[in-house]
Amino acid sequence: MEELIIFVGLGLLVGFLVGLTGVGGGALMTPSLIFLGVEPLIAVGTDLLYATVTRIFGVFFHHRRGRIRYDVSLRLFAGSLPAIALGGLMLREINKEVLNDYLTLLLGLILVISAVLGLLKGELHVPIKPRWTYVYLLGFIVGLTVQFTSVGAGVIVSFTLMNVARLDPKEVVGVTIVYGLALSTFSFLNYALMGSVDYHLAAALILGTLPGVYFGTHVNTMADREKLKRVINIIILLIGVFTLLNR
């Protein structure tokens, strides 16, 4: 019972922060689960299920507002499909102990990269001419990253779409949610087939997250959103560094 309360509370906290700032979901959830003693493989698989369920609500909300570029989302996902297949093969072929060790290393690196990109606030304009090829390549890279960490579909995609594809920031949020939903759904299936998903844990996290997002969204109107996002990204950066130093 005590463990259930802890995980519902974790879902509530992460959901509140996501509703408040729009960032931090996977980057906070997976390392938190690992710190609470969940095996890295189970933590990633469970977070992918958790992310899939919570993103369904985000897609519904943004679709109603007409802010989704499905052409970009589909190209990203098309680039991710071979990465999902490759990731699934690697997950089955690599020794479980080796996977757990390297998952933690990769997670730490991705958290640091995501936090740094988040702190740049999309202000770095890369002198590259936008091409659809880059969108497919981005989908492949992020698809492979998400397979092993469950992190990356938000901050990394958002930053790249704004600075390389030159997408309107208002459209970027909808794209990352739709793409993130498709990616987490198919990535979750790889872990489900391996038996590396804790469904009871995912249910507890979702139970806490839904009211958390609701309250966070309402408090959002009274808070300085940009300052809060910087604080969250600094926390993610510190978590990433801590993860790397304590492998």
Side-chain angles (χ1 to χ4, degrees), residues 137-219:
L137 180 60
L138 174 63
F140 180 83
I141 294 170
V142 173
L144 200 57
T145 301
V146 169
Q147 293 302 295
F148 296 101
T149 65
S150 77
V151 180
V155 177
I156 295 175
V157 170
S158 299
F159 182 85
T160 308
L161 288 179
M162 282 190 288
N163 291 284
V164 178
R166 308 285 197 276
L167 215 62
D168 186 322
K170 290 181 180 178
E171 297 175 328
V172 167
V173 178
V175 169
T176 54
I177 291 176
V178 170
Y179 167 62
L181 172 60
L183 183 56
S184 62
T185 300
F186 280 78
S187 300
F188 151 71
L189 292 175
N190 275 333
Y191 283 83
L193 290 171
M194 292 170 54
S196 296
V197 178
D198 188 327
Y199 294 96
H200 291 99
L201 173 55
L205 296 173
I206 293 165
L207 183 65
T209 291
L210 296 180
V213 171
Y214 177 81
F215 289 123
T217 303
H218 280 69
V219 174

Side-chain angles (χ1 to χ4, degrees), residues 3-16 25-26 28-34 36 38 42-54 57 150 197-213:
E3 190 177 75
L4 175 65
I5 294 172
I6 290 172
F7 288 122
V8 171
L10 175 61
L12 181 68
L13 175 61
V14 172
F16 177 78
L28 291 172
M29 185 59 75
T30 303
S32 295
L33 291 175
I34 293 172
L36 288 171
V38 179
I42 300 291
V44 173
T46 303
D47 184 42
L48 286 169
L49 173 57
Y50 158 81
T52 297
V53 174
T54 53
F57 296 95
S150 77
V197 178
D198 188 327
Y199 294 96
H200 291 99
L201 173 55
L205 296 173
I206 293 165
L207 183 65
T209 291
L210 296 180
V213 171

Side-chain angles (χ1 to χ4, degrees), residues 37-110:
V38 179
E39 180 187 329
L41 267 174
I42 300 291
V44 173
T46 303
D47 184 42
L48 286 169
L49 173 57
Y50 158 81
T52 297
V53 174
T54 53
R55 279 172 178 152
I56 290 172
F57 296 95
V59 169
F60 175 74
F61 177 76
H62 281 274
H63 177 75
R64 289 185 65 185
R65 292 195 169 193
R67 290 182 179 175
I68 299 175
R69 285 280 303 273
Y70 287 101
D71 57 332
V72 179
S73 305
L74 288 172
R75 283 180 167 91
L76 280 167
F77 185 59
S80 295
L81 284 174
I84 293 170
L86 177 60
L89 180 64
M90 293 172 69
L91 285 168
R92 289 169 179 77
E93 294 298 323
I94 301 174
N95 180 274
K96 194 173 183 180
E97 290 184 8
V98 174
L99 264 178
N100 277 322
D101 188 38
Y102 281 96
L103 279 176
T104 309
L105 171 63
L106 184 58
L107 175 63
L109 290 172
I110 296 301

